[in-house]
Amino acid sequence: MNSSPISRTPPKSASAPAHLRKPAEATPEAKRAHAWLHTARFLTTAPQLEHLPALEVPEFAFVGRSNAGKSTCINTLTQQKRLAFASKTPGRTQSINLFTLGKQGVTDAVLADLPGYGYAAVPREAKLRWQRVMGNYLITRENLKAVVLMCDPRLGLTELDEILLDVIRPRVAEGLKFLILLTKADKLSHAEAQKALSIAKLQCGGGEAKLFSALKKQGLDEVATLLWDWSHGPEDAPKPADPEHQDDQGDDEEPPALD
Ligand code: GDP
């Protein structure tokens, strides 16, 4: 059990400050969500919108500025080393990559990894083309259920993040789920992290904001459970003896090294 990438040890000491305590054992809901996310498999890559297959299942789009920690977040959430490709040249991977999720080979949701934006060295034309593709995707993708925006809290929301927020605002008002993930939270002090979180909560208008660290596994259970709930509904709680949430977790794959 302890070899599982998502196993948890009990709190170190009740007297330690909350943010220094070791995370408690994952709940059955979190374990089930992790097992589900671990089923992620590459489906297809689409350089343009017309190459995307029409799908019925809920789709979760992961977006963010280059270097925000998006690939690391996807690989950590799915407990796979190289599912999302962290390009050595930020901004180079300019396709939408889809990954299926679902147990027993039955796809019940899809992750969409959108190209990172804002990398200065990308030629202006390519940047504008991608802003159009991304804008069209966010506006027109019918099965889009949620947008997860990765943001490095040391930089805060950038101008392009704000543009993206404006683009999706009408859909959020109509029920599209939206989450700002403040990545690399391990690089902030507790006070800095809380301040960044308060600001992001004000900025996410109708959505949610959470702290996330792939390095410290912070926010991992929460985000995994949220994705599960968005796709299956929170009422579908696992029973303690349900084998569905006990299998498929042991794995030898680790997330990539972090800076
Ligand atoms: P992407 O361009 O958004 O896909 O970003 P990457 O996932 O490639 O991450 C960019 C850089 O941030 C890499 O050097 C990662 O190792 C680092 N990084 C990502 N997540 C974390 C984290 O949680 N903590 C720390 N300390 N570094 C991280």
Side-chain angles (χ1 to χ4, degrees):
M1 190 64 187
N2 279 342
S3 63
S4 160
I6 57 158
S7 62
R8 299 284 186 274
T9 44
K12 196 168 145 191
S13 148
S15 59
H19 66 285
L20 292 180
R21 273 181 231 150
K22 285 196 175 169
E25 177 79 20
T27 61
E29 287 82 1
K31 286 184 181 172
R32 177 183 60 178
H34 288 305
W36 171 67
L37 285 166
H38 188 48
T39 63
R41 296 287 174 270
F42 176 76
L43 174 65
T44 190
T45 183
Q48 308 205 322
L49 284 195
E50 55 267 33
H51 298 128
L52 278 179
L55 297 170
E56 303 268 313
V57 292
E59 189 160 303
F60 306 117
F62 283 69
V63 299
R65 195 190 152 78
S66 288
N67 216 38
K70 179 162 56 70
S71 310
T72 307
C73 176
I74 293 174
N75 291 338
T76 304
L77 277 173
T78 58
Q79 309 134 64
Q80 299 190 31
K81 241 183 204 161
R82 282 176 291 270
L83 190 71
F85 179 59
S87 171
K88 286 268 179 283
T89 310
R92 210 182 55 180
T93 333
Q94 298 215 315
S95 291
I96 297 174
N97 293 315
L98 296 186
F99 306 99
T100 59
L101 293 175
K103 305 210 102 187
Q104 278 101 37
V106 180
T107 299
D108 55 12
V110 167
L111 297 183
D113 180 12
L114 271 71
Y117 45 80
Y119 183 58
V122 173
R124 192 181 135 78
E125 263 315 302
K127 265 188 207 161
L128 292 177
R129 186 180 82 80
W130 265 104
Q131 281 170 33
R132 274 196 302 274
V133 173
M134 186 126 79
N136 286 339
Y137 167 88
L138 293 168
I139 291 165
T140 63
R141 186 70 171 156
E142 281 187 25
N143 63 323
L144 186 64
K145 176 87 181 183
V147 174
V148 182
L149 171 65
M150 245 69 43
C151 169
D152 184 331
R154 295 169 301 172
L155 300 174
L157 290 186
T158 64
E159 198 187 337
L160 287 171
D161 296 325
E162 301 274 8
I163 292 172
L164 186 144
L165 275 180
D166 285 343
V167 167
I168 64 169
R169 210 178 300 278
R171 287 194 77 174
V172 173
E174 287 168 7
L176 179 76
K177 307 288 188 194
F178 176 55
L179 171 65
I180 297 180
L181 265 197
L182 299 172
T183 54
K184 311 184 198 180
D186 54 275
K187 298 218 180 212
L188 302 181
S189 71
H190 181 64
E192 288 168 339
Q194 291 310 314
K195 187 174 171 200
L197 183 60
S198 311
I199 294 171
K201 282 185 171 167
L202 293 174
Q203 291 171 318
C204 69
E208 303 188 42
K210 292 191 186 300
L211 292 164
F212 186 85
S213 162
L215 186 68
K216 296 276 165 72
K217 308 261 184 279
Q218 182 183 356
L220 197 53
D221 290 353
E222 275 181 274
V223 177
T225 309
L226 198 57
L227 292 176
W228 167 279
D229 289 348
W230 282 346
S231 127
H232 301 85
E235 65 288 341
D236 183 20
K239 296 168 193 72
D242 180 2
E244 265 293 282
H245 67 267
Q246 290 174 358
D247 62 357
D248 216 14
Q249 290 170 17
D251 198 85
D252 53 1
E253 292 178 315
E254 289 284 325
L258 303 167
D259 66 7

